[in-house]
Amino acid sequence: MKNILIIGATGQIGSELTMKLRSLYPNGNVVAGYIPGAEPKGELKESGPSAIVNITNPQQIAEAVDKYDIDTIYNLAAVLSAVAEAKPQLAWNIGVGGLYNVLEVAREKNCAVFTPSSIGSFGPGTPKVLTPQDTIQRPNTIYGVTKVTGELLSDYYAKRFGVDTRSVRFPGLISYVTPPGGGTTDYAVDMYYSAVKGEKFYCPIKPGTFMDMMYMPDALRAAVEIMEADPKRLIHRNSFNIASMSFDPEMIFSKIKEYVPEFEMEYKPDPLRQSIADSWPDSLDDSCARYEWDWKPEYDLDGMTKDMLKNLCVKLKPMETYSI
Ligand code: SER
């Protein structure tokens, strides 16, 4: 990677990945692509170049690639699972139409492409526990349909045209920087915010519903390491299972209570998000990623909880509220 374009640079992953890439590569070589209405602000804006890049506009992608001599594109534009069910056409246009635009530009201009897939690419027929790398992928959400299509299309462009496409299947991502929007796993992020704000949390997901989750620093490292991996070692490309922890609402609630004893939670299941969560795996087997490019997570539930609460206290409230 020399010159990198991030599409969706002001979103949940993009805002942090852009800064991480700018810490690893010269700032001027990492371009923050955004859509009007979601302009970069503060450090994200000041620390490097940015460009309007709407993923549904192939011309804009091509112009940014030419202008900044881009050789690697991080395609992070997405509509998350619960919102996608309300807007399936938009989810397809961004997830599949947008990816097609990116792949075509990459084919013409010789760029490598990273497009995240997700635990949402699996469905009710997939083995639920330690879901294998290569297994049944018949999701029943539009989000999952776009993710499986994206995996197949990306592999096709690699095989047919030699485009260097690579990807990981992200679990639910947890971070204190940019809030996610409209995902099924986002209840876990919301729980931390409620705990730090001193509010009771109404949990939309039932106890006993396990999903894979990951702390953002591990996810960012995965996104960089897969693109830097030695291609000769890669047996898979689109997309690798990666994992670090699996929990249900009870487990994360108990963990937060260790540090915020007065925290309270009540279950108020949301039928849409519950049915999506029920169709996804409990936990993924990430042994192929470990073997092919040395993937290894650093955070477990306790490490993540301490870091989330500490940083959310700094963000939302005075430090002395908790003894973490
Ligand atoms: N975090 C995503 C969602 O819940 C899953 O990849 O939609």
Side-chain angles (χ1 to χ4, degrees), residues 12 79-82 117-121 143 147 170-173 180-186 211 276 280:
Q12 188 206 9
V79 180
L80 293 183
S81 56
S117 186
S118 160
I119 53 172
S121 69
Y143 179 70
K147 288 300 180 192
F170 278 136
L173 297 183
T184 301
T185 54
D186 299 347
M211 286 182 276
I276 295 174
W280 289 354

Side-chain angles (χ1 to χ4, degrees), residues 26 64 103 114 205 258:
L103 289 171
F114 173 90
I205 300 293
E258 281 178 29

